[in-house]
C-alpha cells in the first residue's frame, strides 16, 4: 500500500511500498524586504509575501517562485527569511 509521509524536518514523500520513496525538501520563506529586479531573470520580491525556494546556489543567490504571483526567478537570499515548511 502507498501513501504520503513526512519526517517533520521538511521532507515529504508519496508513493507505494513497491517504489523507492524520494525525499523532497519544500522550503517556503517570507520576504523580509522588497527587491526590484536588476537583471533579466530576477524575481521581484514584495516584503511580507512568500517565496518557495527551488534552489540555493551557494553564492548568496537563490531561485524561487513567488507564491502569490506564480512568477519564477533568481533573487538575493538576504531578502528572505529561512523558514521552512512541509508540503
Amino acid at each position: 500500500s502507498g501513501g504520503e509521509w513526512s519526517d517533520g524536518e521538511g521532507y515529504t514523500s508519496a508513493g507505494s511500498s513497491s517504489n523507492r520513496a524520494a525525499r523532497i525538501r519544500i522550503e517556503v520563506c517570507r520576504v523580509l524586504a522588497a527587491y526590484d529586479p536588476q537583471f533579466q531573470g530576477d524575481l521581484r520580491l514584495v516584503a511580507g509575501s512568500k517565496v518557495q525556494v527551488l534552489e540555493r546556489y551557494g553564492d548568496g543567490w537563490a531561485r524561487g517562485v513567488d507564491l502569490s504571483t506564480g512568477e519564477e526567478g533568481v533573487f538575493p537570499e538576504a531578502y528572505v527569511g529561512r523558514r521552512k515548511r512541509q508540503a
Side-chain angles (χ1 to χ4, degrees):
S1 71
E4 291 190 12
W5 58 265
S6 174
D7 67 1
E9 296 295 324
Y11 290 96
T12 187
S13 178
S16 69
S17 59
S18 63
N19 294 337
R20 188 174 198 155
R23 289 169 58 108
I24 301 167
R25 171 157 284 222
I26 297 182
E27 183 177 6
V28 175
C29 299
R30 183 166 304 280
V31 176
L32 303 173
Y35 172 74
D36 289 321
Q38 305 297 309
F39 304 99
Q40 185 174 357
D42 283 5
L43 179 64
R44 178 180 310 278
L45 299 176
V46 176
S49 64
K50 292 182 181 178
V51 174
Q52 179 181 351
V53 178
L54 303 173
E55 184 175 5
R56 290 186 183 268
Y57 297 116
D59 62 355
W61 288 80
R63 182 172 60 91
V65 175
D66 182 308
L67 295 179
S68 62
T69 66
E71 293 181 18
E72 182 177 331
V74 296
F75 57 89
E77 290 182 280
Y79 286 73
V80 301
R82 288 283 206 165
R83 294 183 188 164
K84 296 173 186 160
R85 83 171 196 204
Q86 308 169 65

